[in-house]
Amino acid sequence: ISIFIVSRKDYFMNRILSAFRRLNSFQIVVLGFACMIALGTMILMLPVSSADGIWTPFIDALFTAVTSVCVTGLVVRDTGTYWSEFGHVILVQAGGLGVVTLSASFSMISGKKIGLSQRSMMAESVASPKLSGIVRLTSFIIKTALCIELIGAVLMMPVFCRDFGLLKGIWMAVFHSVSAFCNAGLDLLGDRGAFSSLTSYAYELLINIPIMLLIIAGG
């Protein structure tokens, strides 16, 4: 029986791998986004992702995962008050850079060789017409994104640290810098009024100007 189970498992794994190899770059990118949405949904449903430590309904977690990955900025739960710090981390970065760019960055950091198929997917994800130099281009995108996000966070830190204290102020600056650069449309200011977004900083130039520049740069 055990030999039969192992053989069937190997059979199904080979079938899955064979089907995956037949996918073109565009299909793999789409599948990657679908997998990211599915994984994000499962994580956001967990009690650790909500501020009150409760299970989040599937439809709310699914909507939030989709809006995060696809950077629409539409929410059914107030981001700042409903989700925990862990949930905030899950929400903000992946959709802006893209699943292929993120996976490529992990490969580059770990020192793994990036093959032709992965280069093709990277080119597809950033709409590059050719494969030559795509690894350098992706590396440039990642480094530039992180540098711009860091600059944006530093510019907003004085205001957020003034209003929320040092540690929370730094986190608020980092989150909103990443959110703005990724065009995510998410904010953590619900404690000033649910779904109030940046309205409490309507006349704060040190918040408005960096946010606007980050949105433009990210776009």
Side-chain angles (χ1 to χ4, degrees):
I1 295 175
S2 61
I3 294 174
F4 174 77
I5 293 174
V6 171
S7 63
R8 297 301 292 176
K9 179 181 177 182
D10 291 340
Y11 170 76
F12 285 117
M13 286 300 296
N14 290 333
R15 289 292 299 272
I16 292 172
L17 290 174
S18 177
F20 185 77
R21 293 191 187 100
R22 290 196 295 269
L23 297 175
N24 59 39
S25 301
F26 176 76
Q27 291 170 326
I28 293 175
V29 171
V30 173
L31 181 62
F33 272 94
C35 290
M36 182 179 289
I37 289 170
L39 179 61
T41 300
M42 290 186 289
I43 294 176
L44 290 175
M45 287 178 66
L46 299 175
V48 70
S49 296
S50 66
D52 294 333
I54 59 175
W55 288 89
T56 297
F58 169 77
I59 191 63
D60 290 350
L62 175 62
F63 187 97
T64 305
V66 171
T67 197
S68 177
V69 172
C70 299
V71 291
T72 66
L74 301 172
V75 294
V76 290
R77 299 281 188 171
D78 181 74
T79 307
T81 56
Y82 183 82
W83 304 105
S84 65
E85 287 79 4
F86 176 79
H88 295 154
V89 172
I90 296 299
L91 287 172
V92 74
Q93 182 76 79
L97 287 181
V99 60
V100 177
T101 306
L102 287 177
S103 63
S105 67
F106 288 130
S107 297
M108 289 185 283
I109 291 171
S110 63
K112 291 182 180 179
K113 182 176 177 61
I114 298 177
L116 182 61
S117 61
Q118 192 170 8
R119 290 171 189 263
S120 178
M121 286 187 291
M122 292 162 65
E124 189 80 45
S125 69
V126 297
S128 174
K130 55 185 179 180
L131 296 183
S132 60
I134 190 62
V135 176
R136 290 193 300 273
L137 175 61
T138 303
S139 176
F140 172 77
I141 290 172
I142 294 168
K143 292 176 182 177
T144 302
L146 293 177
C147 286
I148 293 175
E149 289 171 353
L150 178 61
I151 292 171
V154 170
L155 291 175
M156 291 187 286
M157 274 181 194
V159 176
F160 282 129
C161 288
R162 177 198 70 195
D163 294 346
F164 296 97
L166 181 60
L167 294 180
K168 187 174 181 180
I170 292 174
W171 168 239
M172 295 285 283
V174 170
F175 183 96
H176 290 93
S177 180
V178 174
S179 179
F181 181 78
C182 293
N183 288 196
L186 301 175
D187 70 89
L188 302 181
L189 296 167
D191 57 349
R192 295 190 168 191
F195 305 102
S196 62
S197 190
L198 296 173
T199 54
S200 59
Y201 289 104
Y203 303 101
E204 186 64 71
L205 293 182
L206 289 179
I207 297 296
N208 285 327
I209 291 177
I211 289 289
M212 288 187 288
L213 293 176
L214 285 163
I215 291 171
I216 295 169

